[in-house]
Amino acid sequence: MLDILRRIVEDVSLAANLDEALGITVGRVRATLSVDVCSVYLFETASGEYVLRATEGLNAAAVGRVRLRPTEGLVGLVAERQEPVLVQDAANHVRYRYFPETGEERYRSFLGVPLIHYRQVLGVLVAQQRDDRQFNADESAFLVTVAAQLAGAIHHVAVTGGMATLLAGNADDLGYIEGARASDGVAIGTVASAATLADLGAVPDRTVTDVEAELERLRRAIAAVQDDLRASGARLAGVVSDSELALFDVYVMLLDGDTLPADMAGRVSAGQWAPAAIRDTVAAHVRLFQGMSDPYLRARADDIRELGRRIVMRLHADGPVGPREYPERCVLVGDEVSITDIANVPRRQLVGIVSGRSSAFSHVAVLARAMGLPAVVDVGELPLARLDGHTVVVDGYRGRVFFEPKPAVLEEFRRIARADERLGAELRALKDLPAETPDGARVTLHVNTGLLSDITPSLESGAEGVGLYRTEFPFMIRESFPGEEDQFHIYREVLAAFAPRPVTMRTLDIGGDKPLPYFNVVEANPFLGWRGIRVTLDHPEIFLTQLRAMLRANEDLGNLRVLLPMVSNVAEVDDALALIERARHELAEEGHVAPRPPIGVMIEVPAAVYQASQLARRVDFLSIGSNDLTQYLLAVDRTNARVARIYDSLHPAVLNAIDETLRAAREAGKPVSVCGDVAGEPAGTVLLLGMGFRHLSMTAAYLGRAKRVIRTISRARARAVLEQALTMEDAGSVHRLVRGELEAAGLAELLRGR
Ligand code: PEP
Ligand code: MG
């Protein structure tokens, strides 16, 4: 059963459109359960009705004509109850509704299960039998499982189908897809997809100019796969049965024959790049085999898919033909855009990011904000294969993405982009003015950075230093741990660019959602696992290399500050301090001058809030990482889009924790700053100002905005707002309160999209 299920789901996801997907579903379910009828009814938003969309067994002419309101018929009953409904004598049930065109009066037994995707009933899957049939528990469970699995696949195909309409410019409404806001601003550009090639369905369309070279690449990949298959067959001889071994011969033969390779080559000759030529060849052949009645031949569809995947992987390993060309104004679109994907696009060309799954608090979103790139995430599954080259608008203010927007929509976004530019220019004009409140409180504004490419905007932002340099970013875009020399050059460049202004370098903070491709760690709960200082203390060789590189880079500059992430125990600080001393000692022995830099601890787990005094006593400064602090205080995975609604750094519990930490630092006589995103949010800036923070660090893109808030709202006013906020019970009330205050102060334009 599991096998049948897997195959149905796979075939449905490969279907070219919704009708084909539903056709496959009803045909397979009917055959598997040996029922007389299997049908799918789907909810139609425009009419508010359930419509018969596919059937095997009822009159085909009834498709599209049989319509039921949610309160009607047995189908409506299944949708209403959101659970399976089994009826023995359907025609005599109170909810039965008769449609002469279906011919269904003949069928007595009815089993209907809902198709639900993320709480939303998409439709109903129905099995019917002429005679009295007792569907047994296994059959009912099978139908429920098919429905649960299919709902996702159907949703995907429906989105893809809808996208096809959007891409063709035929949508009759405004035509956008909705996601979550990850980084403010509007980007108008051309899609470049960031797809994983192992997933055939996600291989994007791309054209090639050098057809001969692409054909050669394809030939090489096919030959390499044949070699792999022969070698695997030889290795397994005597290990698996002869019939299993024969499978390898079948694979090799399929690739020897004319049909598959010729079909692939034909598509390449027509201008497609090889991966998409393979994708389309596989889809066409899979359809062909599936239509065959012989079960042996039908099973060959699986082989073809497997072969396609292998060739694409081989092509990938072979490397793309030359460096990939990106559009001039490139919007990177992917299922889960990675930091490496971002790093691959020349900075000048990248204007926006759209990610299917990431949440607004993931590190990709953090990086998008750091680079000032409008970004929308959590838009769900996208037909990546069909998007390359299309015009797209990323509305980072409202979390919307418009593919092939209508001229009026495009014009509206151009207007917003122009207004943003004006505001940006106004804010840039504040660059050399101090961040000082009207009643004389001076705040030091620092930037958060992580890539060499954002040094220039950071320098131009008027920042008085770097409050957080995320050292893991250069680690994440490499293929192995960078050595001491490599790191020395990176750190030296950053320190020199800002000198004499201070640069706070955080030691490696990997783990959580920041895995290194070359350092595989599999954990059930990565955010509660081996992360930040826990990793570096367990690997002193990695930690010492990094510390040595930082200390050497600081020689004769003297503007380095070292920050320790994810501290949850005082012993971690003691151990880290000892290792820093060791690195200094080693360097001194080698003749370097390595003075002890100021050392700080990040307060980003609740334990550190409650031990802020003990931690502050051991080091020179504290820095509050409100992104993680919010995650750990509210128990909300910052990368999980499903719970993103309850992640909020203005939650009164988070505000109280930040306030508490500030007090502890003051008592210990140590400076404390905030370097999480809350510092750069207008409402957050007001509240932190009210608490009395004098050091804030944020991405360069938000610095001008924070400066304007500080130069407009007096410290006394901010304190009054804070006092009120701290008495509130939920984040929503805090947002409303501060918003009102900002609007009254004439800062409404800083709140676009909020
Ligand atoms: C934080 O957690 O607030 C922080 C600044 O660090 P990161 O976002 O890199 O985890
Ligand atoms: Mg953090």
Side-chain angles (χ1 to χ4, degrees), residues 8-192:
I8 300 180
V9 172
E10 256 184 40
D11 292 341
V12 166
S13 4
L14 269 182
N17 54 46
L18 188 57
D19 287 334
E20 187 180 316
L22 299 180
I24 295 171
T25 308
V26 292
R28 301 291 185 77
V29 171
R30 184 186 182 214
T32 309
L33 289 185
S34 302
V35 282
D36 295 327
V37 176
C38 178
S39 315
V40 175
Y41 296 77
L42 287 191
F43 187 69
E44 187 183 76
T45 321
S47 61
E49 293 170 331
Y50 287 93
V51 185
L52 177 66
R53 288 292 300 266
T55 183
E56 282 262 340
L58 297 183
N59 288 342
V63 171
R65 296 193 17 224
V66 172
R67 295 172 162 272
L68 300 121
R69 285 194 302 276
T71 48
E72 282 183 336
L74 293 172
V75 166
L77 186 65
V78 176
E80 201 174 277
R81 289 201 187 154
Q82 302 194 359
E83 61 184 2
V85 171
L86 178 64
V87 179
Q88 287 305 344
D89 184 6
N92 287 321
H93 192 279
V94 282
R95 284 290 292 262
Y96 179 73
R97 193 175 151 205
Y98 175 50
F99 290 92
E101 57 269 52
T102 59
E104 73 177 332
E105 65 280 13
R106 298 193 295 270
Y107 304 107
R108 285 179 60 79
S109 314
F110 172 102
L111 172 60
V113 299
L115 293 158
I116 302 181
H117 184 66
Y118 283 118
R119 298 191 186 186
Q120 197 192 347
V121 181
L122 303 180
V124 177
L125 178 63
V126 175
Q128 287 171 285
Q129 184 83 1
R130 192 182 300 255
D131 46 23
D132 265 335
R133 170 159 173 177
Q134 301 283 343
F135 285 103
N136 65 32
D138 280 352
E139 290 166 332
S140 167
F142 172 75
L143 206 61
V144 169
T145 318
V146 171
Q149 294 272 322
L150 278 178
I154 288 177
H155 174 77
H156 173 64
V157 181
V159 169
T160 315
M163 290 291 297
T165 322
L166 281 186
L167 295 179
N170 294 335
D172 43 12
D173 55 8
L174 287 178
Y176 59 82
I177 54 170
E178 193 111 37
R181 297 169 33 214
S183 177
D184 285 348
V186 164
I188 303 171
T190 308
V191 174

Side-chain angles (χ1 to χ4, degrees), residues 363 366 448 468 470 472 506 509 514 531 602 604 624-629 638 675-677:
H363 279 92
V366 168
N448 296 349
L468 173 65
R470 292 180 165 100
E472 54 279 3
R506 179 171 72 185
D509 184 19
K514 290 183 288 191
R531 218 202 128 174
M602 285 200 79
E604 46 187 354
I624 300 174
S626 54
N627 303 344
D628 277 312
L629 188 56
R638 66 193 264 187
C675 66
D677 289 343

Side-chain angles (χ1 to χ4, degrees), residues 28 227 242 351 363 374 447 507 559 702:
R28 301 291 185 77
D227 287 347
D242 283 353
V351 297
H363 279 92
V447 274
T507 62
N559 58 337
Y702 297 165

Side-chain angles (χ1 to χ4, degrees), residues 293-514:
S293 48
D294 180 341
Y296 173 80
L297 287 176
R298 265 208 313 270
R300 297 283 71 80
D302 285 349
D303 300 341
I304 305 244
R305 257 193 300 263
E306 176 57 23
L307 279 178
R309 263 194 291 266
R310 282 176 185 241
I311 307 171
V312 172
M313 293 299 282
R314 262 291 169 176
L315 275 171
H316 196 42
D318 196 22
V321 250
R324 179 168 169 196
E325 300 253 327
Y326 290 95
E328 202 37 46
R329 295 183 58 76
C330 167
V331 172
L332 205 52
V333 181
D335 267 346
E336 197 155 21
V337 174
S338 71
I339 288 175
T340 319
D341 294 328
I342 296 176
N344 282 340
V345 187
R347 177 66 189 92
R348 194 184 51 76
Q349 285 166 251
L350 187 58
V351 297
I353 294 171
V354 177
S355 190
R357 280 201 294 266
S358 328
S359 103
F361 311 100
S362 62
H363 279 92
V364 163
V366 168
L367 187 59
R369 288 194 281 274
M371 297 171 80
L373 292 169
V376 175
V377 296
D378 189 23
V379 292
E381 282 183 79
L382 288 168
L384 288 179
R386 313 268 170 231
L387 291 178
D388 259 20
H390 282 280
T391 301
V392 60
V393 171
V394 183
D395 177 359
Y397 291 120
R398 279 176 300 178
R400 292 176 180 172
V401 186
F402 296 73
F403 290 100
E404 292 300 333
K406 295 193 174 316
V409 173
L410 203 55
E411 194 35 56
E412 174 61 10
F413 280 108
R414 289 210 177 102
R415 195 190 58 72
I416 297 176
R418 283 194 297 271
D420 279 356
E421 259 166 51
R422 267 196 309 278
L423 176 63
E426 278 172 39
L427 296 178
R428 276 193 296 280
L430 302 176
K431 172 175 174 284
D432 299 318
L433 298 175
E436 189 172 318
T437 61
D439 50 354
R442 177 77 167 82
V443 181
T444 310
L445 293 185
H446 283 182
V447 274
N448 296 349
T449 90
L451 287 178
L452 287 179
S453 62
D454 61 12
I455 289 188
T456 314
S458 299
L459 282 168
E460 287 170 356
S461 66
E464 296 173 75
V466 175
L468 173 65
Y469 177 80
R470 292 180 165 100
T471 57
E472 54 279 3
F473 286 171
F475 277 71
M476 290 169 80
I477 57 178
R478 278 179 171 63
E479 277 161 17
S480 60
F481 277 108
E484 184 178 319
E485 275 315 296
D486 220 0
Q487 291 188 51
F488 164 77
H489 288 294
I490 300 171
Y491 304 153
R492 179 79 188 175
E493 198 167 331
V494 183
L495 290 172
F498 281 90
R501 289 169 282 181
V503 174
T504 310
M505 292 200 162
R506 179 171 72 185
T507 62
L508 196 58
D509 184 19
I510 50 168
D513 71 329
K514 290 183 288 191

